[in-house]
Amino acid sequence: ASVRPADAHKLSAAAAESEVSSYFGQLARDADAKHAQQERAEERAEKSAASSEQHYEEGLASRDRQYEASREKELRRQAAHVRHEEHADTAAKAATIRAAAEAKG
C-alpha cells in the first residue's frame, strides 16, 4: 500500500495545517492566561489601594480624636486655673475686708 504523490501532498498539508492550528491554539491559551493573570493583578492592586485608603482614613480619624481629647484636656486645665485664681482673688478680698473691719474696730 504505497501512497501516491498527490495523497502525500495532502497528508503533509494536513499535518502542517494541524501544526499551525496547534501553534495558534497555544498562543491563544497563553494570551488568555496572561490576560487572566493581569486581571488578577489589577484586582489585587485595587484591593490594596482601597485598603491603603481605608488605613489612611482611619489614621486621620484617630489623629482627630487624639487632637480633640488633648484640646479638651487643655481647656479643662485652663478652666481649673481660672477657678483657682478667682478663688484666690475672692479670699484676698475677704481678708482685706476683714482687716479693714478689724482696724475700724
Side-chain angles (χ1 to χ4, degrees), residues 24-43:
F24 282 111
Q26 185 62 46
L27 284 179
R29 286 188 295 280
D30 290 349
D32 289 345
K34 186 172 184 173
H35 180 72
Q37 182 182 16
Q38 287 174 334
E39 284 183 342
R40 287 190 302 274
E42 288 172 5
E43 287 172 4

Side-chain angles (χ1 to χ4, degrees):
S2 66
V3 177
R4 295 184 311 161
D7 291 338
H9 178 70
K10 287 179 186 176
L11 286 175
S12 64
E17 185 177 326
S18 174
E19 194 172 317
V20 167
S21 177
S22 175
Y23 173 76
F24 282 111
Q26 185 62 46
L27 284 179
R29 286 188 295 280
D30 290 349
D32 289 345
K34 186 172 184 173
H35 180 72
Q37 182 182 16
Q38 287 174 334
E39 284 183 342
R40 287 190 302 274
E42 288 172 5
E43 287 172 4
R44 284 192 305 272
E46 288 173 3
K47 286 179 184 177
S48 178
S51 176
S52 293
E53 184 176 347
Q54 180 181 0
H55 182 71
Y56 175 75
E57 293 293 330
E58 288 170 356
L60 287 179
S62 174
R63 187 193 70 198
D64 289 348
R65 286 189 302 274
Q66 290 173 352
Y67 171 78
E68 286 300 320
S70 175
R71 185 170 171 259
E72 287 177 23
K73 183 178 178 181
E74 177 61 18
L75 289 174
R76 284 192 300 274
R77 187 195 66 76
Q78 289 175 2
H81 181 72
V82 167
R83 284 191 304 274
H84 176 73
E85 286 182 347
E86 288 173 350
H87 179 70
D89 287 347
T90 302
K93 287 178 186 174
T96 302
I97 292 171
R98 269 194 301 276
E102 289 176 5
K104 284 187 176 180

